[in-house]
Amino acid sequence: MAGVEINIQHLDKSFGSLKVLKDINFHVKPGEFVAIVGKSGCGKSTLLRTIAGLESVTGGVITFNSKEVKGVQETTRMMFQDARLLPWKDVLTNVRVGNSDRTKAEQALGNVGLLEKSSEWPGVLSGGQKQRVSLARALAGDPDLILFDEPLGALDALTRIEMQSLIEQLWKQQRFTSILVTHDVSEAIILADRVVLIEDGGISLDVKIDLQRPRVKDARFTVYENMILERILDKGEGV
């Protein structure tokens, strides 16, 4: 399935008197991979949840393929830091939650390298394996959009690198649109076509990452990393 085009115009989101998102204008091309970074509490996860339809907007419009959307869309999937597996169901059944097709579930497990774990219980899996199951569950729904909310944040360094590579590989193969929220600027640059910085509820930086894939942490990579980090840490003067 081809990725969805997303257009956000003048988006506001408030919780009572607290305004979390302020006049967000944001466009994502079909099949594009965008990362959203920023300090804790800046509004990046709230933005992701509004795109997912898990939060209603206070003002503005979100469109998918030029059609206004409200609520959760059938072909949108989301991954969280917690894999959110049902411990009383085996791996295959967890992948089939919301996706009743057994063949697609088995194919998705094969794509993440866990088909042999189909009959295992989530409790015996490692953290990385649990997130692979979560990714398989997302893929089994034939998504045109996958939203990643810090899905690798709790993993050890080596497993995180392996998961980054797997996500990139599957995205390149299937070309679903991807939006990743992460605190890790390096991870954002490794995975994304663009990195968007949220500050005080608004977009303050939108950087195209013009590096070949797979990304190598060379001098050009470091330039992007330092530029974004300096802005986040209020050491730079902007670009």
Side-chain angles (χ1 to χ4, degrees):
M1 179 177 291
V4 67
E5 179 182 34
I6 302 169
N7 196 35
I8 298 173
Q9 296 178 305
H10 305 295
L11 177 67
D12 294 322
K13 175 60 181 177
S14 297
F15 296 97
S17 61
L18 178 63
K19 197 166 189 177
V20 179
L21 299 175
K22 308 166 187 175
D23 196 30
I24 297 285
N25 293 280
F26 186 47
H27 178 256
V28 183
K29 295 182 292 187
E32 192 172 21
F33 202 129
V34 176
I36 302 173
V37 298
K39 293 180 179 178
S40 295
C42 70
K44 57 186 183 295
S45 288
T46 299
L47 175 57
L48 199 71
R49 289 176 64 84
T50 60
I51 295 171
L54 298 175
E55 298 283 357
S56 60
V57 303
T58 305
V61 177
I62 300 175
T63 63
F64 288 3
N65 294 335
S66 300
K67 295 181 180 179
E68 184 176 358
V69 295
K70 295 181 180 179
V72 177
Q73 301 301 296
E74 183 178 353
T75 54
T76 297
R77 294 293 184 271
M78 193 163 182
M79 282 186 65
F80 302 89
Q81 184 169 332
D82 179 353
R84 303 192 178 189
L85 304 182
L86 302 176
W88 59 89
K89 294 185 180 292
D90 63 27
V91 165
L92 182 61
T93 307
N94 267 282
V95 174
R96 294 180 68 187
V97 171
N99 311 291
S100 59
D101 190 305
R102 183 185 181 94
T103 300
K104 287 184 178 180
E106 290 177 340
Q107 181 180 3
L109 276 173
N111 286 339
V112 301
L114 286 183
L115 185 56
E116 75 283 359
K117 300 289 186 181
S118 295
S119 60
E120 297 281 4
W121 301 106
V124 305
L125 303 180
S126 68
Q129 288 172 332
K130 289 177 181 177
Q131 285 298 54
R132 284 174 183 255
V133 175
S134 178
L135 179 57
R137 183 171 57 196
L139 295 170
D142 291 330
D144 55 18
L145 171 63
I146 299 183
L147 304 170
F148 300 93
D149 193 1
E150 294 275 2
L152 312 184
L155 303 180
D156 64 81
L158 180 58
T159 304
R160 189 165 186 156
I161 291 170
E162 291 173 345
M163 282 296 296
Q164 288 168 355
S165 179
L166 177 62
I167 288 170
E168 181 180 34
Q169 172 192 333
L170 292 168
W171 166 74
K172 288 170 69 176
Q173 289 173 355
Q174 301 188 27
R175 301 310 295 187
F176 44 81
T177 302
S178 299
I179 303 179
L180 166 72
V181 161
T182 179
H183 284 90
D184 188 334
V185 171
S186 177
E187 179 171 272
I189 298 169
I190 286 169
L191 288 172
D193 298 315
R194 288 161 52 208
V195 177
V196 174
L197 174 61
I198 303 289
E199 292 183 301
D200 298 322
I203 294 176
S204 62
L205 194 67
D206 189 338
V207 181
K208 181 180 179 182
I209 307 300
D210 188 18
L211 298 172
Q212 290 186 338
R213 295 178 182 272
R215 303 271 163 81
V216 177
K217 293 186 178 182
D218 56 13
R220 292 187 66 211
F221 187 103
T222 302
V223 169
Y224 283 111
E225 188 173 34
N226 288 343
M227 175 181 62
I228 296 167
L229 280 171
E230 286 177 356
R231 184 63 177 264
I232 292 174
L233 298 172
D234 295 325
K235 294 180 180 179
E237 297 180 1
V239 292

